[in-house]
């Protein structure tokens, strides 16, 4: 199993939120650099268009990271393909692939944060249709140097080439999904690896949806080994489980209570948090042994997970705490995962 980290390039953590955007970006790049040195497999950068995040130009951050790393794979988490031009998205990631010498990946999705749609002039009523059409174009560009294509939301392309081409023969494209059955079936039918974002509740409840993905892939003629499953969840690794909970809970409660106010969810309580960090809950918060044990349990419950990524930098943790967590993941958690 591959282990990595996803970041939304938060500019609002630590020191009473007084960190400058310049310093936040530099510290993020330092964390990616350390993740590479510590042996993590992948680092993903999200896409938002909000004041508290610095990840609106995902590939620019990943390209800066590419120049400072050697082995770690560099991915989006996710790219909001629905609100972008697939030609430019492909060109950006192909360029990243050249800079990184073949380490670029993309996780494409519709986006659970919807601010990109009005910003770029798209109608939320077309939420799914936009993604379906643009994913089709993106995959055609990835697989063909010359493209002929027509659709509803973008001008047609008539036998035109798209450059540059990625270094990798087939640029990895994961499909980022939440809880919509159609999204799981779509990924399986296309034979694309699946990245499941589980941010609340109990992880095992996604097993029926992942089964739909595997069934759709099998029906479309793909081999089981082609149908990879990734799991993205909030979490944090501390020196001990007690220390991890002590450091993680205050910022997590503050952030998710704020999000809940915006989205109509109830406030976070310590009791609810304790349920999320128990054996079946989604949050991977603990010492290396506890975290590794829970990741392996989730993998078994879902029928096998090929990649797990932590979302850590949105819970009020300091740069020093995040750096320590990365070190623990590389030196202690990954060896435990490898042992199984």
């Amino acid at each position: 199993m591959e282990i990595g980290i996803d970041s939304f390039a938060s500019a609002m953590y630590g020191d009473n939120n007084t960190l400058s955007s310049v310093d936040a970006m530099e510290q993020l790049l330092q964390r990616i650099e350390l993740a590479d040195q510590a042996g993590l497999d992948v680092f993903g950068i999200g896409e938002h268009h909000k004041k508290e995040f610095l990840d609106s130009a995902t590939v620019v951050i990943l390209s800066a990271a590419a120049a400072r790393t050697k082995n770690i794979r560099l991915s989006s988490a996710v790219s909001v393909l629905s609100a972008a031009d697939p030609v430019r998205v492909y060109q950006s990631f192909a360029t990243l692939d050249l800079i990184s010498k073949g380490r670029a990946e993309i996780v494409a999705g519709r986006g659970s944060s919807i601010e990109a749609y009005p910003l770029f002039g798209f109608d939320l009523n077309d939420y799914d249709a936009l993604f379906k059409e643009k994913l089709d174009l993106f995959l055609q560009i990835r697989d063909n140097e010359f493209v002929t294509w027509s659709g509803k939301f973008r001008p047609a392309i008539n036998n035109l080439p798209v450059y540059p081409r990625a270094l990798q023969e087939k640029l990895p494209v994961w499909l980022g999904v939440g809880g919509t059955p159609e999204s799981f079936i779509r990924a399986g039918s296309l034979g694309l690896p699946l990245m499941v974002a589980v941010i609340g509740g109990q992880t095992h409840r996604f097993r029926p949806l992942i089964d739909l993905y595997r069934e759709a892939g099998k029906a479309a003629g793909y081999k089981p080994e082609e149908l990879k499953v990734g799991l993205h969840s909030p979490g944090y690794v501390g020196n001990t489980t007690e220390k991890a909970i002590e450091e993680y809970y205050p910022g997590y409660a503050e952030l998710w209570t704020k999000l809940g106010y915006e989205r109509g969810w109830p406030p976070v309580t310590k009791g609810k948090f304790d349920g999320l960090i128990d054996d079946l809950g989604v949050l991977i918060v603990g010492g290396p042994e506890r975290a590794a044990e829970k990741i392996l349990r989730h993998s078994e419950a879902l029928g096998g997970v090929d990649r797990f990524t932590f979302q850590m930098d949105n819970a009020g943790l300091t740069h020093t705490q995040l750096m320590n967590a990365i070190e623990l993941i590389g030196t202690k958690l990954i060896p435990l995962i490898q042992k199984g």
Side-chain angles (χ1 to χ4, degrees):
M1 187 193 305
E2 295 177 329
I3 302 294
I5 291 173
D6 290 332
S7 171
F8 296 164
S10 172
M12 302 293 286
Y13 66 86
D15 299 325
N16 298 316
N17 298 336
T18 59
L19 195 70
S20 74
S21 295
V22 170
D23 288 340
M25 187 65 74
E26 173 56 28
Q27 291 181 4
L28 171 61
L29 292 172
Q30 289 175 12
R31 295 198 295 276
I32 302 174
E33 200 170 357
L34 178 62
D36 181 51
Q37 295 166 359
L40 276 68
D41 297 291
V42 61
F43 206 108
I45 301 293
E47 179 190 339
H48 298 82
H49 303 270
K50 298 180 177 180
K51 183 178 180 180
E52 60 265 37
F53 301 119
L54 300 174
D55 60 349
S56 63
T58 306
V59 179
V60 177
I61 299 174
L62 294 173
S63 295
R68 298 167 63 152
T69 56
K70 295 180 179 179
N71 300 306
I72 197 165
R73 299 194 67 78
L74 300 166
S75 177
S76 59
V78 302
S79 293
V80 185
L81 191 58
S82 305
D85 185 330
V87 174
R88 292 300 283 162
V89 174
Y90 176 82
Q91 290 173 326
S92 296
F93 277 90
T95 302
L96 171 64
D97 204 42
L98 297 176
I99 294 170
S100 66
K101 298 180 175 62
R103 293 185 282 131
E105 301 189 2
I106 179 171
V107 179
R110 297 177 296 182
S112 59
S113 295
I114 58 174
E115 70 276 358
Y117 290 83
L119 184 62
F120 295 108
F122 294 102
D123 189 337
L124 270 172
N125 291 322
D126 299 322
Y127 186 71
D128 191 62
L130 278 163
F131 182 70
K132 182 178 180 180
E133 178 176 298
K134 293 192 176 187
L135 178 63
D136 173 65
L137 174 55
F138 186 85
L139 293 175
Q140 288 200 41
I141 296 167
R142 180 193 68 168
D143 297 340
N144 302 281
E145 182 176 344
F146 283 79
V147 177
T148 296
W149 176 93
S150 63
K152 176 182 177 181
F153 299 104
R154 188 201 185 281
I157 302 174
N158 184 20
N159 195 36
L160 294 175
V162 178
Y163 300 119
R165 305 304 299 174
L167 177 62
Q168 297 175 86
E169 183 177 351
K170 205 162 190 176
L171 182 72
V173 178
W174 296 66
L175 203 64
V177 300
T180 307
E182 291 78 13
S183 296
F184 288 79
I185 294 169
R186 175 187 291 140
S189 299
L190 294 171
L192 296 176
L194 184 75
M195 179 55 70
V196 188
V198 184
I199 61 174
Q202 297 181 325
T203 301
H204 70 269
R205 66 191 173 91
F206 280 78
R207 178 62 183 267
L209 294 170
I210 291 174
D211 286 345
L212 283 178
Y213 163 70
R214 292 183 170 125
E215 291 164 6
K218 181 180 180 181
Y222 294 100
K223 299 176 181 178
E225 58 268 25
E226 294 179 278
L227 301 171
K228 294 182 178 180
V229 174
L231 179 61
H232 158 106
S233 291
Y236 175 62
V237 179
N239 293 322
T240 66
T241 293
E242 294 74 18
K243 193 67 174 174
I245 293 169
E246 177 189 328
E247 293 173 345
Y248 186 80
Y249 173 70
Y252 174 86
E254 180 182 352
L255 172 75
W256 287 91
T257 296
K258 179 183 176 183
L259 286 175
Y261 179 77
E262 295 172 355
R263 301 187 183 189
W265 304 335
V268 174
T269 64
K270 187 60 167 59
K272 181 178 179 181
F273 176 80
D274 288 342
L276 292 172
I277 63 172
D278 71 11
D279 288 349
L280 300 181
V282 62
L283 296 182
I284 308 289
V285 178
E289 296 80 8
R290 167 67 176 168
E293 173 189 306
K294 194 166 179 181
I295 290 170
L296 291 171
R297 184 184 298 113
H298 284 344
S299 177
E300 182 179 1
L302 296 177
V305 168
D306 300 282
R307 174 180 289 182
F308 179 85
T309 55
F310 286 90
Q311 167 61 32
M312 290 197 303
D313 69 352
N314 61 347
L317 298 161
T318 67
H319 178 58
T320 299
Q321 289 170 329
L322 293 169
M323 292 283 274
N324 183 60
I326 291 168
E327 192 73 46
L328 289 170
I329 291 169
T331 60
K332 295 188 177 183
L333 183 142
I334 287 178
L336 291 169
I337 294 291
Q338 291 171 341
K339 288 179 182 178

